[in-house]
Amino acid sequence: MYDVNNIFAKIIRKEIPSTIVYEDEKILFFHDITPQAKVHILVIPKIPVKDLTDFLNQADEIAVKYFFDKINEVVKEIGLTKTGFRLVTNNGLDANQEVPHFHMHILGGENLNSIR
Ligand code: 5GP
């Protein structure tokens, strides 16, 4: 069951501020409030899905492709493709997913060797 009052749902509705990197009607990129690397951006689809499993089960192929294509565009735009980046998602309890709205972390801007 999706919690409509999770933090990222509130960020989408602009009830909580965020530092936006890119936004359109389908997707939102914003800076993580506690960055784990020089660049730490979160990317979320604007549909109510709680994790990756839910996203892949609910979203159609076009929406899934749009999500990853837009990540590809944004990482290029902000210069991460030159030096590399990490794209990670925590899915559910054992991954200690904190916010129950599907999101991916984009980490980069420095060598990520010491960052889990
Ligand atoms: P998770 O553990 O669910 O994969 O990651 C949740 C991420 O959301 C964490 O990296 C955390 O710092 C970030 N976060 C939690 N609350 C907020 C918030 O209110 N604003 C922003 N920008 N990031 C948040």
Side-chain angles (χ1 to χ4, degrees), residues 15-91:
E15 293 167 12
I16 291 178
S18 67
T19 309
I20 293 171
V21 176
Y22 173 84
E23 179 176 29
D24 64 26
E25 72 284 1
K26 294 191 177 73
I27 198 166
L28 176 62
F29 293 74
F30 57 102
H31 289 285
D32 195 292
I33 205 165
T34 313
Q36 303 297 311
K38 277 189 186 153
V39 176
H40 188 173
I41 293 168
L42 299 170
V43 51
I44 59 179
K46 289 189 174 177
I47 56 171
V49 284
K50 62 184 168 57
D51 56 21
L52 175 67
T53 305
D54 202 13
F55 180 58
L56 295 176
N57 286 336
Q58 303 291 333
D60 63 18
E61 283 176 27
I62 293 169
V64 173
K65 185 165 178 359
Y66 186 87
F67 184 79
F68 286 99
D69 281 350
K70 196 53 79 174
I71 291 174
N72 200 27
E73 276 177 40
V74 169
V75 293
K76 189 175 176 200
E77 187 68 31
I78 63 177
L80 287 184
T81 43
K82 292 186 199 106
T83 46
F85 61 93
R86 181 176 292 155
L87 184 64
V88 65
T89 191
N90 292 315
N91 197 87

